[in-house]
Amino acid sequence: MIEPLIAAKVRHWLDKPDCPATPLLAHMRTAGKLRDVQIAALQTYLYLLLEGKNQALTQLWMQGLFAKAASYDGPRSRVPQIARDVFASQPAAHTWYQLCQTQQPQLATWLEENADQPDYLALTHELFYGWENTDYVFSLPMGSGKTWLMAAIMYLNLYLGEQNPGDARFAQNFCVLIPSAKKSSILPSLRSIERFDPAWVLPEPAAGRLRQVLRFEVLDAPKTAAKSNRIRNPNAHKVGQHLMQPGLTGLVLVVNAEKVILDRLDDSTDALVEKTDDERDKAANELRHLIGRVPGLQLMVDEVHGAATSEIKLRQVMQRWHAGGNVHSVVGFSGTPFLEKPQEIKIGDYTLKQRQMSTVVFHYALTDAVRTFLKQPTVETAYGLSAEQIVRRGTQEFLTRYGATVYPTGCSAKLAIYCGSIERLETEVAPMVEQLFPGQVLKYHRGNAHFKAPIGAESQFAALDSPASIHRVVLLVQIGKEGWDCHSLTGVILAQKGDSPTNMVLQSACRCLREVVRGQRHTALIYLSQDNAQVLEAQLKNSQNTSIAALNAAAQAQVTTVPMFDRSAWLKSLDKIPAIEAYQLRLHTQTLFIQDDPQTRAKLQVALQRAQTRQSSGITTGTLDHLSVRSTSAVELGATAEFAHWLHTLVRESAGTLAQVTLAPFSAELHAIFEALTEVDPKGDPENSRRYHLQAPQDDVRRLVRLAFWRLREFATAVQPLDQAENLLLLTHGKLPAEVPTHEKLYPQTADVQKIIAADAAGQRGSDIAHADDAAFAAARALLEQQGLGHMLAAQSAVTAPAELAAKDHTFHYLPYDFAQSGLELGLLQELLKTTEFQASGLEVYYNGARHLTEFRIDCFQQVGSTSGNQSKRWQRLGAYTPDFVMLQRDADGATHKVLIIETKGAGFSEQSGYALRKHFVSTEFLMLNNAKFGYPRFDFIEIMEPANKDYRSAAFNLLSHAQRFFAPQ
């Protein structure tokens, strides 16, 4: 409901030249690791966080943040005066009116006549369920990367919190609530968050620093007995340990939601001393109590539709946490954020109904995801067939389509068949499917009185998305509806009512749509009974405002693309090789030993003494008030011990600092240590009877042994130039994609691209085309003036070749350039090519900002060590810098003579620490090295800042002015 209003405001906010999110969003696009849908969601989140100041939706609505500015005055206004006054004075009324104008026009008309009647404050509270906490829901379809979106939000909060110390807008710690009761659903989510690289959303070095700050704690220990104390509750103990740390920041708790919604264990009303709610919470669930004490806590709720209303226990717990004052915000994620029954809000004689959760602030349609990155499904509905027939035909259809399909990941395409009961799976479905896929069917269920749970099924289910999996079909009962992340799943069959819970048909059917390989399109098969198709149709309508027919149509729709062309061969034919020779610096590390004799034998004696000790052990029983401890002295023996294997372990754990030949001279000492760490097993084989003693400090002794061979050393680092200049291609052979999705920032336009390619094929140079057009124009002008019709002559630019065609031999080493990430880059090049100064200069300019296509990247370093005293220079690698453009001047032989490195920067970008360090290195060390090596000022650097008024022509003239000075003859 409110998502379209917010989307419009976000677009307006991003267009502001001083938008604080612009540098971060541009970095994300440049990194190229997040999908467009994830970046779009982060745009909305940053708007609510920075512009909305992380306030509750009720507050933002009352402030009018979601409404566009409007004036109801003027001669054409049909709004009565009393309504004008109300809408002008009450932002909430103004927002309600705008919402109704687009979503219920009849109600908007009623408001115009009765603007002073509604209680807009009460309506707003009702719209957002009366929640006072910050609660934002992001609606993204399955497979769009919700878990990485969570990770990005975490890192953004920590980064912005560092930039603004003490600012309450930014969360300090996080709790991810997973809805499923299964441990197996928690750990994959955690692994996805841990694999997330903060450099995808944040500049360095901040990304690297914050990567070390984030700490993960999985609260997955088994449930404890009633009235558990902290010692017996390992999950609560984990949280309690973190709470003892001052200034707790960067903690990520991942917890099964069911662990925090347990019923109170003591809720009696006849107690002699009445307990407070907080005391009852603590007694009922210590874990829940401790989580509520974590400061600055952002709650992230996956599948948040399961906690949509205050009647649900998880929602009650979150509200209680918020009342405690430590909850920073709630961010929910769902692919199906709709209510079981519509929310109804009465306004006058009208009722506003909606099925979607009113707290949805961002929505990405399933059909859009199918068009862009999800598998493209064919949804087939079987009419007049039994469940058995549907399974048989669906399986045969899958076998025909995907029987031989193996994805680039090495995984075979797989089919999931959901079954309503274990009996049906075992007696009807499994025997039938095993005939078509013998030895390749996995049965996965929890078992019952008649059928035991299949042995090893859980581990085999977890390994389905692996090339090693032999299973092609998986049969499921009450498993795999949510949280199942199997990219090679290609088909789903729901053969009868009850195979999936009614409210989860959409989630179950779409399990097979996940993208297999980034950027590669594949298809999928969804085979449904008539009952399930009807449910799916209703859920698509209610949650996605779409249908099965639209989903099938989206699968057939093709993303519009345009071909890309490599023009390197044409430029080489003109002796204009798109490459640059440059000297690079390389980091060299030298190890300097400052200790000649490590005194190995003496240190091995220390290790032997340690090996002869034994660690004490004991068993503790009792309560916190009274503990009794009894020691145990029984010898516990572990695995079989072999001296050669023990030596091999020493070498392996040394990370390359030890070798067998190094150990050989000390064999006697090492053998004594080995015997001290082991015991003879009286029950074992006399030939192989030694075993490791479990009370011996095995790890510590091996560490001491390795240190006995260690010579103290110092590491000196320096950067040194390469002996020869590298020939860095501006377009790496074979990397240019065959096509690119079309959009408005491709340059040149498709028609001009075709003209340039045709001119290349015909051997026409750009200068010849321009001269021919000039001559034709001059002849036309002379003829018209002769006839007295000179005033009818159009401007020359309207009838001559476009600047892009005339300048084709001085730019465009491939076509088209993709400027999706920067209007400044596009505008600068467009205006530069139009200037007569550039056209007459003989200079060349090439776009170099597509880092995946170019080799011209400069390796950058910074000095981090002191040069004082006896210490040598210490250098640290910053990473590669990829210039946006390069401008070239050639000598008489066609070789590159001078190179101007051009960087374009939007407002706020030049202050980024990572870029500032690279800029300093390029403009000092790199320029000095190369200009000295070549013996003349071969390289120069210029930074073009985005004009506040978007005047790219002035930016182009600034660039030309600098270029004329640099390229002028010496």
Side-chain angles (χ1 to χ4, degrees):
M1 176 181 279
I2 67 171
E3 182 271 332
L5 298 180
I6 297 177
K9 295 292 288 185
V10 171
R11 289 192 295 269
H12 177 72
W13 180 64
L14 293 172
D15 285 339
K16 293 182 177 179
D18 59 344
C19 175
T22 300
L24 287 171
L25 294 169
H27 175 83
M28 296 176 202
R29 295 188 182 95
T30 301
K33 296 297 184 179
L34 298 184
R35 292 192 178 101
D36 290 343
V37 58
Q38 293 167 318
I39 294 178
L42 290 174
Q43 289 176 174
T44 299
Y45 180 75
L46 288 171
Y47 171 74
L48 295 169
L49 186 66
L50 301 176
E51 189 74 4
K53 301 178 182 178
N54 194 53
Q55 298 180 81
L57 292 173
T58 301
Q59 296 172 295
L60 299 178
W61 187 280
M62 299 299 295
Q63 295 167 12
L65 188 69
F66 301 149
K68 60 183 179 181
S71 174
Y72 301 104
D73 297 324
R76 295 187 179 183
S77 177
R78 61 179 178 80
V79 180
Q81 185 60 49
I82 187 171
R84 299 185 198 181
D85 295 340
V86 170
F87 297 155
S89 62
Q90 297 186 42
H94 171 55
T95 308
W96 274 105
Y97 177 63
Q98 286 196 353
L99 176 75
C100 294
Q101 278 183 308
T102 57
Q103 300 187 22
Q104 195 160 353
Q106 289 181 330
L107 181 52
T109 302
W110 183 88
L111 284 175
E112 292 172 2
E113 301 296 331
N114 305 274
D116 58 340
Q117 292 189 22
D119 183 342
Y120 295 104
L121 176 60
L123 287 174
T124 305
H125 278 286
E126 184 181 359
L127 175 64
F128 299 118
Y129 316 117
W131 298 339
E132 298 296 335
N133 58 304
T134 300
D135 199 312
Y136 307 143
V137 174
F138 291 82
S139 172
L140 297 91
M142 177 277 307
S144 55
K146 292 192 289 289
T147 308
W148 277 10
L149 182 57
M150 291 182 190
I153 290 174
M154 292 176 189
Y155 281 113
L156 286 170
N157 271 278
L158 293 176
Y159 174 73
L160 294 169
E162 276 192 350
Q163 303 295 312
N164 304 273
D167 195 325
R169 290 179 297 173
F170 311 115
Q172 301 168 255
N173 300 288
F174 312 90
C175 179
V176 181
L177 293 165
I178 307 295
S180 173
K182 295 180 300 179
K183 174 183 175 182
S184 59
S185 294
I186 299 176
L187 296 181
S189 297
L190 174 69
R191 284 196 294 268
S192 294
I193 295 175
E194 286 185 312
R195 287 198 303 267
F196 186 86
D197 187 347
W200 299 343
V201 295
L202 299 176
E204 294 288 5
R209 183 175 64 255
L210 292 176
R211 189 184 295 109
Q212 305 303 319
V213 171
L214 221 59
R215 290 163 294 167
F216 295 86
E217 198 68 79
V218 187
L219 307 181
D220 62 343
K223 293 180 180 178
T224 56
K227 300 181 181 177
S228 64
N229 56 53
R230 185 173 301 176
I231 294 300
R232 292 173 61 194
N233 187 336
N235 295 316
H237 181 64
K238 290 178 182 179
V239 181
Q241 290 292 102
H242 288 289
L243 286 174
M244 296 172 63
Q245 302 175 17
L248 180 60
T249 300
L251 175 63
V252 181
L253 303 174
V254 182
V255 59
N256 177 346
E258 290 189 1
K259 290 185 179 295
V260 298
I261 60 173
L262 302 179
D263 291 334
R264 290 175 175 169
L265 302 178
D266 179 14
D267 202 16
S268 60
T269 58
D270 57 350
L272 293 177
V273 179
E274 184 178 354
K275 294 181 178 179
T276 65
D277 284 341
D278 189 61
E279 290 170 335
R280 288 174 178 169
D281 274 350
K282 185 175 180 180
N285 190 323
E286 186 180 15
L287 176 61
R288 182 172 65 195
H289 171 77
L290 290 174
I291 290 175
R293 290 175 51 197
V294 176
L297 184 65
Q298 182 174 81
L299 302 176
M300 294 185 163
V301 189
D302 198 10
E303 307 298 348
V304 72
H305 54 269
T309 62
S310 297
E311 289 76 25
I312 298 173
K313 290 181 181 178
L314 179 57
R315 175 61 62 178
Q316 295 170 5
V317 171
M318 292 193 295
Q319 290 175 314
R320 180 69 58 81
W321 280 339
H322 176 260
N326 286 324
V327 171
H328 167 273
S329 56
V330 178
V331 182
F333 305 87
S334 175
T336 55
F338 60 92
L339 307 169
E340 290 189 10
K341 58 181 181 179
Q343 181 186 27
E344 298 184 355
I345 300 176
K346 289 190 66 64
I347 305 177
D349 296 331
Y350 294 85
T351 300
L352 196 62
K353 293 184 179 182
Q354 65 163 355
R355 289 292 303 271
Q356 189 183 71
M357 294 174 63
S358 60
T359 49
V360 172
V361 297
F362 175 84
H363 175 71
Y364 192 81
L366 175 61
T367 49
D368 290 338
V370 167
R371 290 190 188 98
T372 52
F373 60 87
L374 292 182
K375 291 194 189 83
Q376 299 169 305
T378 298
V379 183
E380 296 196 0
T381 304
Y383 296 92
L385 299 178
S386 67
E388 180 180 354
Q389 290 173 314
I390 292 173
V391 170
R392 185 180 299 278
R393 293 194 182 188
T395 307
Q396 290 173 336
E397 180 75 12
F398 176 82
L399 181 59
T400 301
R401 294 189 183 199
Y402 304 107
T405 298
V406 178
Y407 293 114
T409 58
C411 300
S412 300
K414 296 171 181 64
L415 170 68
I417 303 177
Y418 291 88
C419 305
S421 68
I422 296 175
E423 285 77 10
R424 178 167 170 265
L425 183 153
E426 292 282 0
T427 61
E428 298 177 16
V429 178
M432 182 194 321
V433 176
E434 285 170 345
Q435 294 176 4
L436 294 172
F437 290 92
Q440 297 177 301
V441 178
L442 172 63
K443 297 184 291 185
Y444 188 25
H445 55 76
R446 301 300 184 189
N448 61 17
H450 301 289
F451 299 96
K452 294 183 179 180
I455 298 175
E458 185 169 357
S459 60
Q460 293 167 358
F461 179 78
L464 275 174
D465 212 17
S466 164
S469 176
I470 64 171
H471 298 105
R472 299 297 308 278
V473 181
V474 55
L475 311 181
L476 304 167
V477 178
Q478 298 300 320
I479 292 169
K481 299 178 294 297
E482 291 182 303
W484 181 20
D485 184 7
C486 183
H487 297 263
S488 58
L489 184 64
T490 308
V492 165
I493 296 178
L494 296 171
Q496 68 177 17
K497 187 176 182 180
D499 281 349
S500 171
T502 302
N503 64 342
M504 289 189 169
V505 169
L506 176 57
Q507 291 96 318
S508 301
C510 292
R511 283 297 104 193
C512 60
L513 299 186
R514 287 186 180 272
E515 186 180 45
V516 182
V517 178
R518 180 80 179 267
Q520 294 188 18
R521 305 312 310 276
H522 297 98
T523 60
L525 174 66
I526 301 174
Y527 214 86
L528 305 175
S529 67
Q530 185 176 356
D531 289 335
N532 283 306
Q534 290 173 348
V535 175
L536 178 61
E537 185 77 19
Q539 292 181 356
L540 285 171
K541 180 180 179 181
N542 292 328
S543 66
Q544 300 287 335
N545 193 29
T546 188
S547 63
I548 291 177
L551 193 61
N552 281 331
Q556 301 302 319
Q558 298 295 320
V559 177
T560 304
T561 60
V562 296
M564 299 195 76
F565 301 93
D566 182 352
R567 298 187 66 238
S568 300
W570 168 257
L571 294 173
K572 288 179 182 178
S573 71
L574 304 178
D575 293 328
K576 296 180 178 180
I577 299 174
I580 296 174
E581 277 194 328
Y583 286 90
Q584 294 270 39
L585 290 173
R586 291 290 184 265
L587 184 66
H588 294 267
T589 302
Q590 184 179 8
T591 303
L592 305 175
F593 290 98
I594 61 175
Q595 184 183 35
D596 294 329
D597 181 9
Q599 300 183 2
T600 300
R601 296 190 189 280
K603 292 178 181 179
L604 287 177
Q605 288 302 312
V606 175
L608 176 60
Q609 294 173 9
R610 182 75 177 104
Q612 292 168 342
T613 64
R614 295 294 179 261
Q615 298 168 344
S616 61
S617 61
I619 300 175
T620 303
T621 60
T623 66
L624 287 174
D625 297 326
H626 178 71
L627 298 177
S628 64
V629 181
R630 68 177 188 273
S631 62
T632 60
S633 58
V635 174
E636 296 183 55
L637 300 181
T640 301
E642 296 179 357
F643 182 60
H645 182 268
W646 185 73
L647 293 179
H648 175 73
T649 303
L650 288 172
V651 173
R652 178 173 53 82
E653 291 179 341
S654 72
T657 60
L658 281 181
Q660 291 285 357
V661 66
T662 309
L663 301 177
F666 303 91
S667 178
E669 291 87 346
L670 292 172
H671 205 281
I673 295 172
F674 171 75
E675 290 187 344
L677 292 172
T678 58
E679 292 282 346
V680 175
D681 185 359
K683 300 179 182 179
D685 180 1
E687 298 296 327
N688 190 18
S689 60
R690 298 201 75 88
R691 293 182 178 273
Y692 288 109
H693 197 305
L694 295 183
Q695 276 79 44
Q698 303 284 346
D699 294 342
D700 193 29
V701 170
R702 292 199 305 274
R703 178 183 64 83
L704 291 173
V705 171
R706 294 194 300 272
L707 287 175
F709 293 88
W710 180 262
R711 294 165 58 190
L712 294 180
R713 60 201 71 189
E714 182 180 274
F715 297 97
T717 60
V719 290
Q720 299 176 7
L722 295 176
D723 294 335
Q724 293 183 340
E726 289 184 321
N727 197 37
L728 303 174
L729 296 173
L730 300 184
L731 178 62
T732 305
H733 178 70
K735 283 196 173 184
L736 188 70
E739 53 189 22
V740 64
T742 184
H743 57 83
E744 61 183 7
K745 289 185 179 179
L746 291 178
Y747 181 68
Q749 295 180 353
T750 302
D752 292 333
V753 168
Q754 294 172 346
K755 292 178 183 177
I756 293 173
I757 297 302
D760 289 351
Q764 290 182 290
R765 296 196 178 199
S767 56
D768 296 336
I769 297 172
H771 292 154
D773 284 338
D774 289 342
F777 180 81
R781 177 174 59 187
L783 180 61
L784 288 174
E785 287 180 348
Q786 220 175 27
Q787 299 172 354
L789 301 175
H791 62 282
M792 299 178 60
L793 192 64
Q796 181 171 358
S797 60
V799 295
T800 54
E804 294 78 15
L805 188 58
K808 75 180 185 69
D809 300 336
H810 300 275
T811 185
F812 301 132
H813 54 313
Y814 65 89
L815 286 170
Y817 287 159
D818 188 349
F819 293 120
Q821 299 171 4
S822 175
L824 170 57
E825 293 172 347
L826 171 60
L828 178 67
L829 185 58
Q830 282 179 319
E831 296 299 331
L832 179 67
L833 298 185
K834 291 177 185 177
T835 61
T836 55
E837 290 84 352
F838 177 78
Q839 294 170 6
S841 67
L843 300 174
E844 302 165 36
V845 62
Y846 299 101
Y847 176 59
N848 189 67
R851 64 177 65 186
H852 60 289
L853 299 180
T854 181
E855 290 180 359
F856 185 59
R857 297 186 293 269
I858 300 172
D859 293 323
C860 299
F861 306 88
Q862 67 171 336
Q863 186 176 343
V864 295
S866 172
T867 57
S868 60
N870 296 326
Q871 294 184 354
S872 59
K873 279 188 177 182
R874 296 182 58 196
W875 291 85
Q876 183 180 70
R877 191 174 188 276
L878 291 170
Y881 161 68
T882 307
D884 291 330
F885 292 94
V886 289
M887 188 176 289
L888 309 182
Q889 183 187 62
R890 298 186 183 275
D891 58 21
D893 297 326
T896 300
H897 178 59
K898 284 189 174 184
V899 180
L900 177 59
I901 299 170
I902 304 166
E903 179 66 27
T904 60
K905 273 286 172 275
F909 282 75
S910 60
E911 302 304 320
Q912 291 181 346
S913 57
Y915 165 69
L917 292 171
R918 288 171 170 82
K919 172 186 172 182
H920 175 74
F921 177 85
V922 171
S923 57
T924 55
E925 298 286 343
F926 179 80
L927 294 187
M928 288 189 294
L929 167 67
N930 278 275
N931 293 344
K933 285 282 188 180
F934 284 99
Y936 67 92
R938 177 182 174 84
F939 284 92
D940 196 10
F941 174 86
I942 182 174
E943 181 183 65
I944 302 295
M945 301 300 297
E946 179 154 22
N949 57 357
K950 309 287 186 182
D951 183 5
Y952 299 128
R953 186 168 181 80
S954 66
F957 276 112
N958 289 339
L959 172 59
L960 273 172
S961 177
H962 183 98
Q964 287 170 344
R965 292 193 297 272
F966 172 62
F967 291 116
Q970 299 296 319

